[in-house]
Amino acid sequence: MDNPAGDVLAGVGARLRALRRARGATLATLADETGLTASTLSRLENGKLRPTLEQLLPLARAHGVPLDDLVAAPPTGDPRIHLRPVRRSGLVMVPLTRRVGGIQAYKVIHPPAGRAPTMNLQTHEGYEWFYVLDGQARFVLGDQEFRLGVGEAAEFDTRVPHWIGSADSRPTELLALFGAQGERAHLAPFRH
């Protein structure tokens, strides 16, 4: 007799471990993010504990992946990608890639100038590239300031203090690419 639920859940532990390692997170960090204990997370990753929905939901949220990706659910026949925007610090970020690790692509929408929370320059490990899809972008890199229009792009070392926002009264839409360190910096929970 076939066991479709068992087949779907068979590889969850390995996927959970791969997702955590790709993010560079420890079991303790993931425990803080999910409310699950480090021991439970370890047992899930090692396949010694069968995951429940109550455990998988916070794990999917923490890793930023759909629940279907965690359980390797069989395809439904629908080829569309259902993008879920993430709102952080006044920005709307729409993930365009869904794989773990490597370069991640996002559509980023910056609010009109003056509506962004603050212009705090930030630094983090990594490298970033962005392309202006719509509007005018104001880009501060170290002690230089640039204005980029539709079709213009910039790339930079994110260890240099930087800030990106709209240059005028309209929102600015960008296509942004960054690695794991940049993704964590942009999508980490906002704290004061």
Side-chain angles (χ1 to χ4, degrees):
M1 178 181 249
D2 289 338
N3 182 0
D7 294 343
V8 168
L9 296 177
V12 170
R15 281 188 288 283
L16 288 172
R17 185 180 313 104
L19 285 164
R20 179 179 57 78
R21 287 181 176 166
R23 290 178 49 218
T26 65
L27 287 171
T29 302
L30 188 56
D32 288 343
E33 292 174 354
T34 62
L36 301 170
T37 67
S39 171
T40 297
L41 294 169
S42 177
R43 290 184 4 244
L44 285 169
E45 287 185 5
N46 291 320
K48 295 180 180 172
L49 179 64
R50 183 180 173 101
T52 65
L53 185 59
E54 289 79 15
Q55 294 163 332
L56 291 174
L57 288 172
L59 285 165
R61 247 188 318 273
H63 291 308
V65 298
L67 185 60
D68 285 355
D69 287 0
L70 283 185
V71 297
T76 61
D78 184 350
R80 294 175 293 171
I81 296 173
H82 302 283
L83 305 172
R84 293 198 175 103
V86 176
R87 297 179 191 282
R88 286 283 192 264
S89 306
L91 302 178
V92 176
M93 298 183 73
V94 181
L96 301 175
T97 50
R98 296 176 42 172
R99 62 181 159 53
V100 175
I103 301 224
Q104 301 295 315
Y106 287 85
K107 178 178 179 181
V108 182
I109 304 168
H110 291 268
R115 293 194 196 163
T118 58
M119 192 185 97
N120 291 330
L121 298 181
Q122 58 178 283
T123 61
H124 49 87
E125 288 296 317
Y127 208 75
E128 191 167 328
W129 174 92
F130 71 87
Y131 175 87
V132 181
L133 295 168
D134 191 36
Q136 294 283 317
R138 180 177 170 207
F139 174 42
V140 178
L141 183 64
D143 59 358
Q144 299 178 320
E145 186 170 323
F146 306 91
R147 187 177 177 127
L148 290 89
V150 173
E152 291 187 287
E155 61 180 332
F156 59 98
D157 183 331
T158 57
R159 293 174 295 182
V160 177
H162 60 279
W163 179 87
I164 304 167
S166 177
D168 58 29
S169 62
R170 297 179 337 142
T172 300
E173 295 183 17
L174 308 175
L175 172 62
L177 302 177
F178 39 79
Q181 295 91 351
E183 184 178 26
R184 278 196 300 275
H186 289 282
L187 295 178
F190 182 71
R191 294 183 177 107
H192 293 282

